[in-house]
Amino acid sequence: MDSRVVDDGAGGGPDASSPADPPSPKPDPAAGAMDARLPADLLRAVLQRLPPIDLARSACVCRAWRAVASDRAVVEAAFCAPWGVGRVVGEPATGAFWRAASLGRFALSHAVRRGDTVPGVALKYSVQVTDIKRFNNMMSDHGIYSRERLLISISNPEILMGSTCYIEMDHNAKREVAIFYPEGRPGGKTESMASIVAAERRSKRIIESVRRSLQVDDGTAAYYLSVTEGDPRAAMMEYSEDLRWEQQRAGR
């Protein structure tokens, strides 16, 4: 008789059907590399060379990277690097300001002087009149007379090399930009938001009053206020004299 055992499927022989043990996971080299912590100084040196958008993405990797990628000095360095800006002073209203490090985030401040015109300023800085009006939220050329400064978009980034720029909210242009002062920043202090809002409201009330009295547009009202140094009564008298002069010439 054959001594070999015939497996009928009910025994526990080597060919018996049984659930196999799951294979043991193999170590992932990439995961191991991510777990390895870079020295803080080396991580900082690497991240601050990234463009702002990539720096923002790196903050999602882990807590250690977020801490470095959110550091003010690292964020500022990434923002300044493309244009060679030496320093940016001030804090923006939101962190999104840093991520859009386009040239449009910078502007040159032009102090408006008596006799300035929008075409003249445009010619001085080699920009288009429409660009000045759009950048400064101006409806007409007359808008220059109600402002102490104009923001000029940067066409040649070389002027920003090594410069110090100041993050400011311009209440006339209604935009937040890093401003470069070619003649030095006057006063050295940033206006508080409360003072900006108060000044804007006060200016609007005066212009509205003069506009209604003279029955003219806002630009014309702002012009006569500017030539009379903000005196509403004098502005009305000046307008009346000009209107009388035009009527006399028309009657000839």
Side-chain angles (χ1 to χ4, degrees):
M1 183 177 180
D2 192 344
S3 61
R4 290 178 296 177
V5 179
V6 178
D7 182 15
D8 60 1
D15 295 328
S17 176
S18 61
D21 293 333
S24 58
K26 295 181 180 180
D28 186 356
M34 287 298 297
D35 290 338
R37 297 286 183 88
L38 290 173
D41 55 347
L42 179 58
L43 181 60
R44 177 184 291 267
V46 172
L47 294 186
Q48 70 182 8
R49 285 172 170 76
L50 295 177
I53 189 64
D54 291 335
L55 182 64
R57 290 169 180 157
S58 69
C60 302
V61 173
C62 62
R63 290 182 179 179
W65 284 42
R66 177 183 290 275
V68 176
S70 303
D71 183 79
R72 173 65 166 76
V74 174
V75 171
E76 179 185 334
F79 182 80
C80 294
W83 321 112
V85 176
R87 186 186 176 200
V88 173
V89 178
E91 291 295 334
T94 66
F97 180 90
W98 299 113
R99 293 194 289 273
S102 66
L103 200 56
R105 284 293 193 190
F106 296 88
L108 182 146
S109 177
H110 170 80
V112 176
R113 298 177 175 84
R114 182 178 290 273
D116 275 352
T117 63
V118 175
V121 173
L123 182 62
K124 177 179 179 179
Y125 295 104
S126 300
V127 297
Q128 298 294 322
V129 169
T130 53
D131 291 340
I132 292 181
K133 292 167 66 175
R134 186 184 304 111
F135 203 84
N136 289 273
N137 193 34
M138 294 169 58
M139 299 301 295
S140 69
D141 291 2
H142 293 297
I144 190 175
Y145 302 116
S146 62
R147 308 185 184 212
E148 295 181 356
R149 76 171 178 191
L150 290 178
L151 298 182
I152 310 299
S153 55
I154 304 295
S155 58
N156 180 12
E158 291 184 1
I159 68 172
L160 296 175
M161 291 291 294
S163 66
T164 296
C165 297
Y166 301 85
I167 297 177
E168 297 178 13
M169 172 65 75
D170 188 280
H171 70 277
N172 282 317
K174 302 186 186 306
R175 65 172 68 224
E176 189 175 42
V177 288
I179 299 178
F180 167 61
Y181 290 87
E183 299 176 356
R185 187 169 183 242
K189 294 183 179 180
T190 304
E191 290 184 277
S192 67
M193 185 56 66
S195 65
I196 289 175
V197 172
E200 183 178 15
R201 289 176 178 173
R202 186 166 56 252
S203 176
K204 284 184 177 180
R205 285 198 300 266
I206 294 174
I207 290 176
E208 178 68 13
S209 174
V210 174
R211 183 185 68 81
R212 288 180 176 179
S213 299
L214 301 182
Q215 297 183 349
V216 295
D217 58 87
D218 287 350
T220 302
Y223 167 74
Y224 281 97
L225 278 170
S226 69
V227 298
T228 56
E229 299 182 353
D231 186 340
R233 185 181 298 275
M236 296 177 191
M237 293 178 62
E238 186 79 17
Y239 175 78
S240 298
E241 291 179 4
D242 287 351
L243 185 62
R244 191 180 303 111
W245 180 82
E246 289 182 0
Q247 292 173 345
Q248 290 175 350
R249 286 183 61 87
R252 291 180 179 178

